[in-house]
Amino acid sequence: MTHPAFSTDLSRLINPRAIALVGASERPQSIGGRTLSNLLDHSQIDGELYLVNPTKSELRGHRCWPSIASLPQTPDVAVIAVPASGVIAVMEECAARRVPFAIILTSGFGEAGAEGQRAQARLKEIAEQAGMRIYGPNCPGLTNVNARLGMTFSPSFPHDLVKGPIGLATQGGGLGRNVMQAMERGIGIGLWASTGNEVDLQVADFIHYMATAPDIKVIVTLLEGIKDGPRFLAALQCAADNGKPVIALKVGKSEYGQRAAQSHTASLTGSAEVNSAVFRQYGVIEVDDIDELVDTAWLFARAMPGEREAIGVYCSSGGTTALTADAVGTAGLTLAEFAPETTELLRSKLPDYAAINNPVDTTAAVLSDADLVESTLGAVAADPNTGCVVTPIALDYGETTIRMAQTIIAAQQRVRSPIVPIWMSDRLGEGYRMLVEAGFAPPRSVGKAIAAIRRWTEWGRWHRSAAGRPARRLPAAVPAAQNEVRNLSELQAKALLEKAGIPLLPVAVARTREEARRIADGMGYPVVAKIASPDILHKSDIGGVRVGIADGAQLALAWDDIMASARHHKPDAAIDGLLIEKMAPGGGVELMAGVTRDPVFGHVMTFGLGGVYVEILRDVTRRLLPLSPEDAASMVREMRCFPVLDGARGRPVADVPALERLLLGVSEFVTTNAERIEEMDLNPIWVGARGEGALPLDAVIVERGAA
């Protein structure tokens, strides 16, 4: 499903036929001067370039026009490089001329306090009224390397022009340029969009564009905040539908990082746990730093993962071989078991003292024979059980390492599985340069290389498992916050759940001791008694719960004790009586499911070990609603305590199917009542042995009120 925000085709922005540079300048160090130089000297413009400067008749031999209105044709893109005080007037001219796209390089808007925010709001208003789209403000521009077009003021543009299949979408310019300069390692980045303040066009729009762009194979994004969650998710879904991996580095995981990101882009950063859960759900490959991002992206650009996941290790240093094998095992990956023909070839060609079983240790003695290394490395890479091969190069041996680089390059030309050379030395010799020029972009450590391969492998599994599934239901837009919320009583909450088809134990509220006795006698003992009060959510904390009540006499004592405890701890609470509930059968496991409304993405479910342990052990998983059956199944199995449900140490196997049905029922209930539900907490959820079911024993629902 395509989000309405993507109704605009960005092709004329990314590959324009006519460009107007407003604020073109003869001052080489100004924004207008640098942008002019990048367009005139270093771009290959397939169309017209109009220079707009009201004080000049020509610049560097090119005619200048006094205004947008005076141009002989309407440009596809107006690149605006005038001071902040003049931007609104230029935008009004563009709107009158019906220019479809404006790139605003100028800063001093939403990131610059209340006055800048008002000016930014006016920019948005002008664009919406005219039907034009804004890129920026406060951005370094747009760089289409594959078309050699730099609508940017960056002095680095002429030096970062290695074409390639990676698309890059960022909000900040500095980190984005840092990724661009991975071109020094041989990485080709075809398109870079750095969206700045995102008054209109967002990172999501460019992920969506790249998802169908024929020259982009892998999408990389650096995020400081996400303003429109559903729009972002629709872009991720489009990328997944087109088989394009999205690799994301999200800053703002700590309180310090969140404050820094907000001061930089004025964006919502969201909860790190929620962001990571959403990324996993949509197949996004999340990384923790720039090196991981670059290594992972280039591995995907070289080859997409297939069903063969096992790794071959080919090395000439015993210690390095062991280090690499350890890294493979620690990452949860598998060393390939070579086919007999591979083992036989290695045995026939390598010396007797070489290790021919995976990992292969040729020893340094064979490095002088390039043909020997090439044929044996090629055999390992061509093995039918091997998905990729790592070749750690521990040190630079001059001519020896040059020959090793040559053999890696030659072997890769004859096999499809990627060979991943790891350059471990700080001495970047000629062998390293050769590998870079051949497009290998060698990772600089064993750990980084194996981390990239792990992410590559995991995405391959996710992509294969997602094939053929129904399209994921995207969440609705997150409504604005309401002024009031109210806590439903437990009886009200359970009545809503029961109406939604969620199984519950018999329950009723007693206003008097006598009524409590009649209710309990009708249900049959044992029962549970809980304080019934809209002002007391956490009943156990104030002694408001008694379990295992076996008869009427115990129930009378429980009434007195609970009421006294409630009056002592919450003297002002409104008390409706006692909630009497049939007690769950013995045994079972206590779990929990909670739902909160994330300000960016909407409702998120947290599920895990329940009762009093949830905040102590924090054995939980998260998913964005609505859940799919696959989501529910994976949530249950991701918990560290899942072996307890699966019959560990002779325990009865829990009713996992009933638990999954319960999670799906809660998801459907919240999704159906999305406008109404602010928070929800089912804790504990009792899960019995197979066939006994899964039942919420306590329920808290917080509703949104009218604004």
Side-chain angles (χ1 to χ4, degrees), residues 586-589 645 651-656 658 686-694:
V589 180
L645 300 177
R651 291 181 60 93
V653 176
D655 199 341
V656 171
W686 175 87
V687 183
R690 183 176 292 161
E692 291 183 344

Side-chain angles (χ1 to χ4, degrees), residues 201-225:
L201 292 174
Q202 302 176 13
V203 159
D205 296 276
F206 292 93
I207 293 175
H208 186 267
Y209 170 84
M210 294 171 189
T212 58
D215 61 331
I216 300 300
K217 183 178 178 182
V218 181
I219 301 168
V220 170
T221 183
L222 276 69
L223 298 163
E224 297 175 13

Side-chain angles (χ1 to χ4, degrees), residues 40 59 61 87 155 227 231 303 309 323 452 530 559 586 618:
L40 282 182
L59 278 172
V87 170
K227 292 185 175 179
R231 184 167 162 185
E309 297 181 351
L323 176 68
K530 310 176 191 177
W559 179 284
R618 300 184 68 82

